[in-house]
Amino acid sequence: MAERPRDLVDDLCLRRDEAIRLGEKRARERQRPKGKLTARERIALLADPGSFLELDEFARHDGGPYGDGLVAGHITVDGRPVCVFAQDFSVFGGSLGEVSGAKVLKVMDLALRTGVPIVGINDGGGARIQEGVTSLAQYAELARRHTAASGVIPQISMILGPCAGGAVYAPALTDFTVLVDQLSHMVVTGPDVLRAATGEESTLDELGGGHTHATVSGAAHYLGADEPDAVDWVKTLLGFLPSNNRAVAPEYVDETAFEVTATDLELNRIVPDGANQAYDMTEVVTRIVDDGDLLPVHEGFAPNMICAFGRVAGRSVGVVANQPLVAAGAIDIDASEKAARFVRFCDAFEIPLLTFADVPGYLPGRDQERGGIIRRGAKLIYAYAEATVPKVTVVVRKAYGGGYAVMGSKHLGADVNLAWPTARIAVVGPEGAVQVLHRRELAALPGPERAARARELAARHHDSPYPAAERGYVDGVIEPARTRVEVTAALRALRGKRAQTPDRKHGNIPL
């Protein structure tokens, strides 16, 4: 008797399940000694249970293993559609070849076509050498897809193993890159090649370990303690973001209290009396966003600038703030580039910007000048001026010189600017002003008298927010305790904001 169609389907499904089971067993045997999860386990951590639908499961190259070392498809995360791919290091070292590359391109095209975020999980040895230029072509095609998707759908890269050579540039083109401490490595050139080419000695961790990229290079937006921690951060991040540039981020019930609360009153005591005394700006921000919930981005890199996602009245906002605990909150090259990239991301995806300023200006110094603070510091100015999303700024304390201008000032297009009575808005601080305005008088005095006279003159030099408010540069000088209420009201009023942009192909940001 001929085999019935239902029996044939059941038999094929059993064979498929057995093949996947055996493949997973081999993958676990190869990954576990390295302290790593398999590609499918990583996707399962990210996805809602049972939501993964795989694409091109049986694709292979010249009779090689099914899947060709890459797992791809679409999932849901907290009920929202997301496209995903994961390199399988247990097959060809996770290297990218013609077939596996085509799978990545296919799922990226699907993400762009359907307007959903894409999450790439990288754990591979780069281009597949034995396939020659064909494998290189896949990386170039991938770069083109990432560029086309930039500003259209959120793109997130997870580096959960090696990522070397030209393979590093695809994640670098995405919006957020997540690494895991002691597990992830991103390098253009490894230690052996570096030693042969230059004689320089370095370990892989020093060159491109997770800590290096999270604190020095800035290539990592988050450094996970382990793989589950990294995945949890990605899932939390997705909850703050819209699916695409024409969608809105998830919104929650607006339970904002419009009376000043006990938590609000704590803001009246956070900023120290001394102008040069440090305090933690996150203590201010967490008292203003919903439930004190912040998701820092690039937390270990340029810590003198805070970039984070939060919510106000149930809606996502991007927070940019100076951090007085580090370098007095001065803006240096790294801080400028970090904030500029964050501002541009928020603007691309219609996430309002909430800025908190306490800045003595751009950081002076030979290293900064020679490193390009003029060119690279201008990126933050450009980003704020270009942004058309609702922009609300609170001047908490110092706002001096170029720091005043760049940190969400009216002159760069901010919609609502508020200041605390502690705000000091001026070209320079009192000490600097005295040295310029009274330099002849001070030069004529002997040392001890000069110092005493300088202190006396500085004490008379009172900066305040009121001259700026008189000119309309500040919309209101408010009691700190009312900040949450005033910010909420401003963002609500700006929900319908429509901005005209110039008729041009694109601007030329000073890269």
Side-chain angles (χ1 to χ4, degrees):
M1 182 182 294
E3 192 172 22
R4 292 179 300 170
R6 181 69 256 173
D7 293 337
L8 180 61
V9 170
D10 289 344
D11 182 57
L12 289 172
C13 288
L14 285 171
R15 292 182 190 179
R16 168 190 175 276
D17 292 344
E18 180 65 12
I20 290 176
R21 189 184 68 79
L22 290 174
E24 272 296 282
K25 181 174 181 292
R26 286 193 296 269
R28 282 194 297 271
E29 290 171 350
R30 294 179 181 181
Q31 292 286 79
R32 287 297 187 272
K34 302 182 181 75
K36 299 195 293 186
L37 300 176
T38 69
R40 293 181 184 279
E41 287 172 336
R42 288 162 172 168
I43 291 175
L45 267 182
L46 180 65
D48 296 335
S51 68
F52 179 46
L53 181 60
E54 191 168 351
L55 300 177
D56 290 342
E57 179 184 346
F58 297 106
R60 59 178 176 171
H61 179 75
D62 289 345
Y66 289 117
D68 200 53
L70 189 122
V71 183
H74 49 91
I75 60 176
T76 62
V77 177
D78 294 330
R80 302 171 65 209
V82 173
C83 283
V84 64
F85 66 86
Q87 292 175 335
D88 185 351
F89 192 82
S90 69
V91 179
F92 298 134
S95 59
L96 199 71
E98 180 179 8
V99 171
S100 55
K103 290 174 67 174
V104 176
L105 299 179
K106 185 174 185 177
V107 77
M108 284 202 67
D109 288 342
L110 177 64
L112 198 54
R113 197 163 58 245
T114 56
V116 303
I118 179 83
V119 178
I121 302 174
N122 297 264
D123 182 10
R128 193 171 297 169
I129 296 173
Q130 55 267 44
E131 293 190 29
V133 70
T134 305
S135 61
L136 296 177
Q138 302 306 312
Y139 276 115
E141 290 283 352
L142 186 55
R144 187 157 64 93
R145 295 307 199 286
H146 282 307
T147 303
S150 182
V152 181
I153 56 174
Q155 302 180 81
I156 302 171
S157 294
M158 302 185 71
I159 313 299
L160 302 183
C163 185
V168 300
Y169 290 110
L173 290 170
T174 61
D175 300 307
F176 301 96
T177 304
V178 178
L179 278 68
V180 171
D181 198 20
Q182 305 297 315
L183 184 72
S184 308
H185 295 95
M186 291 179 73
V187 290
V188 174
T189 304
D192 294 338
V193 176
L194 182 66
R195 186 185 308 111
T198 69
E200 184 179 345
E201 295 285 346
S202 181
T203 67
L204 185 57
D205 275 332
E206 289 171 342
L207 274 180
H211 189 264
T212 295
H213 287 308
T215 61
V216 181
S217 76
H221 294 81
Y222 181 72
L223 182 64
D226 52 28
E227 292 193 45
D229 178 46
V231 171
D232 282 346
W233 191 87
V234 170
K235 293 171 76 169
T236 304
L237 172 64
L238 286 168
F240 284 101
L241 308 182
S243 293
N244 58 67
N245 65 334
R246 298 195 176 191
V248 294
E251 296 183 23
Y252 293 83
V253 176
D254 183 357
E255 298 178 340
T256 302
F258 269 91
E259 65 276 359
V260 174
T261 66
T263 301
D264 291 328
L265 289 171
E266 293 171 3
L267 291 171
N268 288 343
R269 301 185 295 273
I270 285 179
V271 176
D273 292 334
N276 296 320
Q277 288 181 268
Y279 65 95
D280 188 352
M281 183 64 85
T282 59
E283 294 294 325
V284 174
V285 180
T286 54
R287 285 168 172 77
I288 292 164
V289 297
D290 295 353
D291 303 317
D293 186 21
L294 273 182
L295 183 72
V297 175
H298 260 148
E299 187 173 18
F301 177 68
N304 45 324
M305 184 73 78
I306 297 168
C307 295
F309 290 106
R311 294 185 181 89
V312 172
R315 302 187 75 192
S316 293
V317 295
V319 175
V320 180
N322 307 112
Q323 175 55 285
L325 282 180
V326 182
I331 303 171
D332 60 7
I333 289 170
D334 287 344
S336 181
E337 293 187 334
K338 166 183 172 176
R341 182 170 174 83
F342 183 77
V343 166
R344 298 192 89 212
F345 176 85
C346 291
D347 186 50
F349 290 97
E350 288 297 322
I351 298 173
L353 289 163
L354 177 56
T355 303
F356 294 86
D358 185 350
V359 56
Y362 278 89
L363 186 68
R366 186 180 66 174
D367 289 344
Q368 289 291 306
E369 295 290 355
R370 290 167 67 92
I373 187 65
I374 296 173
R375 169 176 56 86
R376 298 162 74 181
K379 295 178 186 181
L380 184 53
I381 299 172
Y382 191 104
Y384 266 112
E386 180 186 48
T388 60
V389 293
K391 292 180 280 190
V392 176
T393 298
V394 180
V395 181
V396 175
R397 194 169 60 174
K398 292 191 287 283
Y400 291 150
Y404 157 74
V406 69
M407 289 299 295
S409 69
K410 277 281 186 182
H411 323 288
L412 292 185
D415 299 291
V416 175
N417 287 61
L418 306 169
W420 289 5
T422 49
R424 298 182 172 196
I425 301 173
V427 176
V428 294
E431 295 80 8
V434 165
Q435 293 300 322
V436 173
L437 299 176
H438 303 278
R439 64 182 181 276
R440 291 183 180 176
E441 177 187 349
L442 294 173
L445 297 173
E449 291 183 32
R450 184 187 307 128
R453 179 59 175 161
R455 287 193 297 270
E456 179 187 346
L457 291 170
R460 297 178 186 174
H461 192 91
H462 295 297
D463 298 326
S464 82
Y466 293 101
E470 290 170 5
R471 290 163 175 78
Y473 303 158
V474 168
D475 296 298
V477 180
I478 61 170
E479 179 190 3
R482 289 196 54 79
T483 305
R484 180 186 58 81
V485 173
E486 298 284 349
V487 164
T488 301
L491 288 172
R492 280 179 169 167
L494 292 167
R495 283 186 181 183
K497 180 182 177 182
R498 294 291 182 269
Q500 296 295 321
T501 56
D503 184 13
R504 60 184 178 185
K505 186 174 182 180
H506 58 72
N508 187 21
I509 187 171
L511 298 173

